[in-house]
């Protein structure tokens, strides 16, 4: 990894956003803001951070650059290499796997024409396999950019990806219509309203 | 104090100690990789597992504080099995390349695998491979061997004070790296080689040179700076292959600077291995007889008062005392050991010592630095200052040029006017010292080696006295030397006698023809070209500046080639020992001067090292006691005159190029270029 990438400087807007984040932490603990700040600069740069951006964050927070590199390389949410406009992350950890994530992965690969860990030639999609996304009740799950798409099967996955590639924004959340993580078969308690009894 | 039982033996340990420390105190050996008693506890290697009663599983003893009534077992089958499990996991990704690994033979992993390793591997999958990192010209990396103990990261962050190493990635993908590949910018970086428990970090200059069991080890003293670091020198045959630190809690703890460790390849280059005599403007190899007769012939009609001598920065006390006696026998008062022209007074010992002592820094609570950059002048003093800073409640003020010292320094100003304001209490920061209980003042050679050095010294003394830094139980006045020879030179009185000339006077006299002969004892840091027509005799070990100007060159011994005495900046007398013999016809320095005295017709009465050492003790009784600092009485020194306004400068402009040995070292040249970026500066190495 080399240091000679485009120099990065905080824009005025970014700086004021960063100041707001830093202000949330006690005096002298500004290094705690490293993750939100990395997220901020990553969004500005189309989904990934360069070495210079990390160095700029380090300087902004008055910490050693290596400490920022450590954080950025630890978290999979911080991308150190360019990604597509839309990042599709399929959970393949045990609960999702039991609920059929293999089929979801296959559906994604077929629809997008790329394999896991690849970015499409037109730069629109990146497909990735991730560990537990923490919404196991609604397994299997795919995270597309900032949204979770839950209760998927291969067909629903294809439909979502197709509509995204047409430029639409399909509604996130459960794709079977259940509310958050309510039981899949409908309410089991409080099934009637108070007026019914 | 909690009492606990370890393997059936009851033991009382200090509160706050860890179980591992308690086990050590009880004489039980606990294997470890990540734990190091001078670094923060990481607790990540899990090798130090022991069994604790009432605990369902083994505990990591390095990270477990002792509790009253704990019952610990270190030698049960469960402990053995747990450690074998840890070892098996560590070895999963560790390559089986011991036969080509420089750590082989002195490897913690190898040693502990003898006790806890399985005789076969159950692992059938591919081992992981990690890209090697570029950490500069000193540290070689084979990162596949890394077991992620993080000692190097902790050393760089905590002790060296350069946050440049980190753990990137996570889980199986974790790698130790500096991310952007650049040389470590620390003067102590070589210590991570010693800290690494496996062969991931090894010495680049020493790579594939020797096996540890082939080496002869000699314990001696480093002379590249005035700290007097304790070192061990490893040699095979007549070649010194590497230098490692030796434990001395009061000086270098268990670290040494990169210069002490890596400059030794300079001992193999540019050496003076036979005498030379200048004829027709060129130096010609000669025998000892020819060299001595050339000197005798040239000087037989020269009056002693027209001769002078200058002692260099690495000269040993033995050679200096014999030189002093020779000059006295010749009737010359022109002798000086202060090559840099520091205005130090040899009559009051406390005026030129680091009186607080290096370990005493840890007791200080405020510090004023005057014209010094301890990071380059004495890297281990700087490490001690940083250690004190990390302990908290330590304010460091500075007058003079101030580069990054790895801890915060409040720069008050650049020169003597700030010092004067500080001295008369008008400076706002003055009360930092007066309010401190144990303040210290460090005066560097950058403040003393100038025309008004005596005035600066006087001003520093008054600041120390006014802030109550000098009293019966505390002496906070410190002079930080850069030359290993200086304190011994001052102790032995190698300063101009009645009507004598100092270094500047000697050179000036030589230029004007008032001095006919100059004897240089390894003196290279002077303006050798300015000595006019004077007859110059150079006694030293390297063909550096001094030898280049000399009319007769006498080959001497370098610091690791003689049994000799040095006194460090604290005034601590230490003995160095010979690791190898000097090359070719070179001899020990004091013996050469003794032989020369015979040629000059004033034979000195020294026939063996013992008689020279008795003479040293006669001149200065501090030489009687080795390694113990003698109390130095306080007195009035320095001048009351006002110093000039000129800002202080730092005496070292390149940490890696401070003496003849460093200047001959390829490794130091590479450091100068790659770490300090002195790319354009051509050195002798670049031919």
């Amino acid at each position: 990894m080399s240091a000679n990438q485009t120099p990065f400087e905080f824009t005025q807007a970014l700086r004021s956003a960063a100041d707001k984040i830093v202000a949330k932490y006690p005096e002298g603990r500004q290094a705690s803001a490293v993750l939100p700040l990395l997220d901020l600069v990553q969004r500005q740069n189309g989904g990934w951070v360069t070495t210079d951006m990390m160095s700029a964050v380090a300087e902004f927070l008055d910490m050693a650059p290596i400490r920022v590199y450590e954080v950025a390389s630890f978290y999979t949410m911080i991308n150190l290499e360019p990604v597509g406009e839309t990042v599709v992350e399929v959970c393949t950890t045990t609960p999702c796997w039991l609920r059929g994530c293999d089929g979801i992965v296959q559906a994604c690969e077929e629809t997008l024409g790329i394999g896991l860990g690849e970015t499409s030639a037109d730069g629109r999609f990146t497909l990735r396999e991730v560990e537990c996304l923490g919404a196991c009740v609604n397994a299997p799950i795919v995270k597309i950019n900032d949204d979770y798409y839950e209760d998927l099967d291969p067909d629903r996955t294809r439909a979502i990806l197709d509509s995204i590639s047409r430029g639409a924004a399909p509604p996130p959340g459960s794709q079977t219509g259940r509310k958050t993580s309510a039981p899949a078969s409908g309410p089991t308690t409080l099934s009637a309203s108070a007026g019914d009894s | 104090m909690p009492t606990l039982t370890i393997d059936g033996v009851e033991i009382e340990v200090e509160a706050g100690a860890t179980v591992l420390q308690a086990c050590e105190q009880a004489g039980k050996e606990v294997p470890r990789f990540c734990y190091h008693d001078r670094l923060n506890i990481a607790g990540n290697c899990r090798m130090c597992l022991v069994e604790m009663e009432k605990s369902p599983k083994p505990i990591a003893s390095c990270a477990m504080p002792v509790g009253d009534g704990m019952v610990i077992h270190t030698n049960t089958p469960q402990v053995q099995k747990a450690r074998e499990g840890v070892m098996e996991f560590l070895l999963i990704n560790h390559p089986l390349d011991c036969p080509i690994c420089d750590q082989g033979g002195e490897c913690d992993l190898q040693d502990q695998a003898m006790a806890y390793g399985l005789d076969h591997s159950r692992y059938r999958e591919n081992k992981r491979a990690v890209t090697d990192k570029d950490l500069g010209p000193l540290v070689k990396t084979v990162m596949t061997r890394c077991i992620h103990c993080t000692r190097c990261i902790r050393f760089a962050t905590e002790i060296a004070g350069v946050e440049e190493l980190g753990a990137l990635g996570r889980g199986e993908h974790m790698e130790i790296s500096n991310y952007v590949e650049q040389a470590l910018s620390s003067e102590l970086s070589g210590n991570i080689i010693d800290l690494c428990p496996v062969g991931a970090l090894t010495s680049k200059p020493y790579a594939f040179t020797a096996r540890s069991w082939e080496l002869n080890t000699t314990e001696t003293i480093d002379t590249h700076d005035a700290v007097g670091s304790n070192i061990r020198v490893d040699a095979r045959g007549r070649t010194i292959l590497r230098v490692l630190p030796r434990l001395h809690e009061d000086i270098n703890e268990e670290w040494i600077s990169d210069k002490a460790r890596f400059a030794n390849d300079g001992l193999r280059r540019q050496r003076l291995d036979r005498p030379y005599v200048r004829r027709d403007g060129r130096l010609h190899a000669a025998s000892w007889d020819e060299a001595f007769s050339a000197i005798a012939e040239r000087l037989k009609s020269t009056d002693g008062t027209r001769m002078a001598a200058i002692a260099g920065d690495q000269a040993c006390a033995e050679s200096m005392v014999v030189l002093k006696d020779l000059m006295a026998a010749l009737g010359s008062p022109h002798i000086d050991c202060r090559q840099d022209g520091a205005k130090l007074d040899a009559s009051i010992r406390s005026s030129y010592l680091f009186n607080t002592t290096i370990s005493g820094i840890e007791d200080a609570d405020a510090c004023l630095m005057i014209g010094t950059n301890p990071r380059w002048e004495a890297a281990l003093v700087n490490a001690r200052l940083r250690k004190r800073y990390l302990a908290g409640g330590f304010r460091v003020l500075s007058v003079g040029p101030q580069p990054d010292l790895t801890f915060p320094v409040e720069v008050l100003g650049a020169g003597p006017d700030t010092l004067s304001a500080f001295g008369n209490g008008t400076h706002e920061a003055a009360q930092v010292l007066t309010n401190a209980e144990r303040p210290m003042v460090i005066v560097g050679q950058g403040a003393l080696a100038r025309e008004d050095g005596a005035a600066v010294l006087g001003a520093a003394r008054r600041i120390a006295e006014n802030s109550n830094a000098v009293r019966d139980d505390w002496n906070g006045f410190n002079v930080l030397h850069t030359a290993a020879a200086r304190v011994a030179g001052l102790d032995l009185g190698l300063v101009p006698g009645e009507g004598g000339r100092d270094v500047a006077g000697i050179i000036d006299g030589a230029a004007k023809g008032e001095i006919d002969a100059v004897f240089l004892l390894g003196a290279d840091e002077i303006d050798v070209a300015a000595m006019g027509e004077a007859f110059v005799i150079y006694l030293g070990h390297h063909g550096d500046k001094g030898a280049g100007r000399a009319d007769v060159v006498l080959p001497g011994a370098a610091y690791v080639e003689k049994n000799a005495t040095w006194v460090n900046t604290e005034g601590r007398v230490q003995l160095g020992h010979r690791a190898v013999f000097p090359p070719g016809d070179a001899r020990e320095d004091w013996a050469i001067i003794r032989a020369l005295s015979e040629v000059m017709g004033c034979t000195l009465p020294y026939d063996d090292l013992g008689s020279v050492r008795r003479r040293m003790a006669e001149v200065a009784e501090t030489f009687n006691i080795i390694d113990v600092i003698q109390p130095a009485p306080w007195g009035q020194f320095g001048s009351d005159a006002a110093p000039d306004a000129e800002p202080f400068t730092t005496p070292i402009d390149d940490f890696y190029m401070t003496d003849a040995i460093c200047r001959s070292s390829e490794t130091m040249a590479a450091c100068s270029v790659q770490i300090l970026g002195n790319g354009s500066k051509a050195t002798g190495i670049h031919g």
Side-chain angles (χ1 to χ4, degrees), chain A residues 89-149:
Chain A
E89 293 173 313
V90 189
C91 175
T92 57
T93 308
T94 319
C96 283
W97 176 67
L98 290 171
R99 300 278 294 152
C101 72
D102 288 349
I104 310 287
V105 171
Q106 204 186 347
C108 290
E109 285 177 343
E110 282 166 14
T111 317
L112 302 177
I114 48 177
L116 290 175
E118 292 175 5
T119 300
S120 61
D122 59 0
R124 288 201 61 196
F125 287 95
T126 294
L127 179 62
R128 270 206 302 236
E129 173 186 39
V130 292
E131 298 305 329
C132 185
L133 288 170
C136 315
V137 170
N138 298 37
I141 307 148
V142 169
K143 177 171 171 270
I144 299 177
N145 287 344
D146 289 339
D147 294 318
Y148 276 19
Y149 291 85

Side-chain angles (χ1 to χ4, degrees), chain A residues 1 3 51 54 64 66-67 69-70 73-74 76 80, chain B residues 153 157 163 165-170 177-180:
Chain A
M1 292 174 228
T51 310
M54 290 189 276
I66 185 73
R67 299 280 100 89
Y69 307 151
E70 281 182 318
S73 64
F74 185 90
T76 51
L80 301 178
Chain B
I153 301 180
T157 309
E163 277 192 84
L165 287 176
L168 301 178
R170 61 170 157 175
S177 175
N178 51 0
Y179 198 78
V180 282

Side-chain angles (χ1 to χ4, degrees), chain A residues 39-107:
Chain A
D39 183 59
L40 205 64
V41 294
Q42 171 162 285
R43 280 168 200 280
Q44 178 188 296
N45 192 44
W48 71 292
V49 293
T50 64
T51 310
D52 285 306
M53 293 167 78
M54 290 189 276
S55 303
V57 168
E59 204 188 323
F60 188 82
L61 297 176
D62 194 23
M63 57 200 285
I66 185 73
R67 299 280 100 89
V68 180
Y69 307 151
E70 281 182 318
V71 170
S73 64
F74 185 90
Y75 290 98
T76 51
M77 298 81 146
I78 308 294
N79 300 312
L80 301 178
E81 267 151 29
V83 290
E85 269 166 56
T86 307
V87 181
V88 180
E89 293 173 313
V90 189
C91 175
T92 57
T93 308
T94 319
C96 283
W97 176 67
L98 290 171
R99 300 278 294 152
C101 72
D102 288 349
I104 310 287
V105 171
Q106 204 186 347

